[in-house]
Amino acid sequence: MTHAPPPTTPDGRYLVVEGRLWRRSNPALGPRQRELLVAALMRARADVGRAKRAKDAAAERNARARVHRAKVGLGERGAPWWTDGAPDFNRHLVRNTPYATWFQDLAVP
């Protein structure tokens, strides 16, 4: 079964997953930089899983810190990658943001 990709806000800043906004990666990243950061993110996520299965709290903290650094590098966390001064609604419920009407209109046939 194939799933449709999550909707992206008209300004390209967020994806909407289960009614929540998630910041997209910085589109200004070059392909090689993005590739390296995504690879680091995937390795760190795998390491989180291994540490959890091993019940190794120190290794899990380290792996989670690496996940965070990769996401900051990608622009998904930390300071917003846009420069127009617009507020960051990362992790907010879309219904509580200026994107609420846009999102509601998506559901209308």
Side-chain angles (χ1 to χ4, degrees):
M1 178 176 180
T2 336
H3 295 284
T8 301
T9 57
D11 57 15
R13 293 177 179 163
Y14 304 96
L15 300 172
V16 181
V17 179
E18 296 181 9
R20 191 168 299 276
L21 295 170
W22 295 95
R23 197 184 315 157
R24 295 186 68 208
S25 296
N26 184 346
L29 291 175
R32 180 68 179 145
Q33 186 178 16
R34 180 181 310 281
E35 179 184 334
L36 291 170
L37 287 165
V38 168
L41 175 61
M42 295 299 105
R43 281 191 307 274
R45 284 181 169 167
D47 289 346
V48 167
R50 277 190 283 281
K52 287 177 76 167
R53 287 188 297 278
K55 299 185 185 334
D56 185 338
E60 184 179 346
R61 275 191 307 277
N62 177 279
R64 287 187 184 280
R66 290 175 25 236
V67 166
H68 179 72
R69 284 193 303 272
K71 286 188 150 289
V72 168
L74 285 163
E76 296 174 12
R77 291 185 184 162
W81 45 259
W82 51 89
T83 58
D84 63 3
D88 184 13
F89 295 107
N90 194 34
R91 301 182 185 179
H92 286 67
L93 291 173
V94 69
R95 70 175 181 242
N96 298 330
T97 72
Y99 300 99
T101 302
W102 161 81
F103 187 66
Q104 185 177 2
D105 289 348
L106 290 180
V108 177

